[in-house]
């Protein structure tokens, strides 16, 4: 098991109250020793000065993983960003976040032309950017064989990480309204950031592509190289567990690199640190399941940074780092090819989701009935 997951998983329940309490810090410097950002500024997460550098943090969660007191610096600095934005957002544009907001806030490359009722594929931002051919291949295969359409949009995590709480809520509400209007009850995500962020934010079912591949019996086993765990999946490793059935060899986890350099939107404020982080993995082949990570490692000189989904699907595509923005722009106008009997497939898709809801409702009724009968039996016994 990844050391970070072991450490965070071993925290005592009574330490949970310390998660956002800087005053609980014992200044052991363990967080500093494991974080390039804190090392650069000679700070630990308990130092009040760290809040002045909230936008310099990569929000990778490494400090929480190694903190003996259970302090989550990621959450503390995210709350500081939210506090900063409550007085306005002019500071974001003045320090270089204007272009990011221009693209991500109302996602510039959004494409809603290929929606279907029931389920949709949600590739996110960076997988289509770096792997446009695999994105098209998967979208067309799902549409042709399962009647599942595609929604190209941003999950809004970058906007949320900048501290724009109100704007994030509004954009997620807009996404919910779109899904409801198209009778979509399930989105299938490729990105671990989308998965971890949207799962607790949307009322529809959020599943990973790896869950669906297992369900459908699709995909091949692959031999992975050194494995880099994306930041959002390190603590619970939900997506990694879903990927393991496709791995033909044991994992050799990369534990010496805290982040790919793109976390927390910090690369804009810390370009040198971001460059160092992406170069730190070296040039030996590695595997990951985050397109942001694989693309950034390729940019850093690791030309054999592969994405596991691409390999599981039997594709040979390498991360296209030279045309990532152009790839996103082109997919804005992408249309799925119509196939015969699509209406029958869509109807079957809707019926399948309706059946699932009915089964879940029946199971819930049975569970409640058992609870009530159990309480009645206990009352009679006590009497």
């Amino acid at each position: 098991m990844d050391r970070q997951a072991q450490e965070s998983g071993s925290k005592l329940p009574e330490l949970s109250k310390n998660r956002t309490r800087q005053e609980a810090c014992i200044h052991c410097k363990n967080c500093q020793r494991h974080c390039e950002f804190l090392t650069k500024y000679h700070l630990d997460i308990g130092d009040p000065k760290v809040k002045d550098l909230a936008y310099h943090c990569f929000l990778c969660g490494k400090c929480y993983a190694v903190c003996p007191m259970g302090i989550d610096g990621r959450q503390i600095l995210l709350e500081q960003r939210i506090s900063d934005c409550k007085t306005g957002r002019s500071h974001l544009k003045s320090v270089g976040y204007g272009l990011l907001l221009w693209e991500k806030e109302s996602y510039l490359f959004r494409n809603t032309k290929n929606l279907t009722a029931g389920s949709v594929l949600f590739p996110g931002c960076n997988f289509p950017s770096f792997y446009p051919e695999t994105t098209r291949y998967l979208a067309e295969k799902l549409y042709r064989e399962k009647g599942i359409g595609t929604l190209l949009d941003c999950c809004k995590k970058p906007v949320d990480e900048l501290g724009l709480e109100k704007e994030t809520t509004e954009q997620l509400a807009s996404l919910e309204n779109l899904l409801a209007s198209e009778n979509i009850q399930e989105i299938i995500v490729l990105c671990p950031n989308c998965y971890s962020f949207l799962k607790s934010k949307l009322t529809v079912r959020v599943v990973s592509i790896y869950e669906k591949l297992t369900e459908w019996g699709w995909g091949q086993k692959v031999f992975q190289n050194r494995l880099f765990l994306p930041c959002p999946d390190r603590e619970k490793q939900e997506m990694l567990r879903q990927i393991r059935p496709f791995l033909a060899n044991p994992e050799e986890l990369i534990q010496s690199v805290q982040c790919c350099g793109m976390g927390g939107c910090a690369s804009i404020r810390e370009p040198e640190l971001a460059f160092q982080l992406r170069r730190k993995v070296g040039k030996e082949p590695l595997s990951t399941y985050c397109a942001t990570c694989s693309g950034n490692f390729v940019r850093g000189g690791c030309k054999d940074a592969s994405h596991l989904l691409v390999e599981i699907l039997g594709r040979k595509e390498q991360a296209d780092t030279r045309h990532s923005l152009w790839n996103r722009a082109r997919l804005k106008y992408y249309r799925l090819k119509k196939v015969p009997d699509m209406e029958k497939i869509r109807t079957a898709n809707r019926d399948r989701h309706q059946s699932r809801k009915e089964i879940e409702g029946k199971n819930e009724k049975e569970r409640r009935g058992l609870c009530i009968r159990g309480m009645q039996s206990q009352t009679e016994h006590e009497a």
Side-chain angles (χ1 to χ4, degrees), residues 360-378:
E360 289 173 352
K362 183 179 178 181
N363 290 342
E364 178 63 17
K365 286 180 179 178
E366 289 177 353
R367 187 188 67 80
R368 289 179 180 176
L370 287 171
C371 289
I372 292 170
R373 287 195 294 273
M375 290 171 65
Q376 288 174 340
S377 175
Q378 183 178 355

Side-chain angles (χ1 to χ4, degrees), residues 244-263:
R244 280 191 177 122
F246 297 99
L247 301 182
N249 59 318
E251 303 141 25
E252 179 191 342
L253 300 181
I254 298 172
Q255 300 182 18
S256 59
V257 183
Q258 72 181 77
C259 177
C260 73
M262 293 299 288

Side-chain angles (χ1 to χ4, degrees), residues 224-228 252 254 256-257 278-288 293-294 296-298 300-307 318:
Q224 43 87 31
N225 305 297
R226 300 177 300 149
L227 183 60
F228 183 82
E252 179 191 342
I254 298 172
S256 59
V257 183
R278 75 187 190 191
R279 293 291 295 271
K280 200 172 179 181
V281 293
K283 296 184 179 181
E284 293 297 314
L286 67 82
S287 302
T288 187
C293 295
S294 59
N296 212 36
F297 288 142
V298 169
C302 182
K303 300 303 180 184
D304 289 324
S306 62
H307 196 293
Q318 298 295 314

Side-chain angles (χ1 to χ4, degrees), residues 104-137:
K104 302 290 188 183
E105 191 170 2
S106 293
Y107 189 48
L108 188 64
F109 306 117
R110 192 184 210 199
N111 183 342
T112 61
K113 300 180 182 71
N114 302 295
L115 303 182
T116 53
S119 297
V120 289
L121 181 69
F122 192 95
C125 302
N126 281 331
F127 193 90
S129 299
F130 294 126
Y131 304 99
E133 297 307 318
T134 303
T135 301
R136 289 189 186 91
Y137 165 80

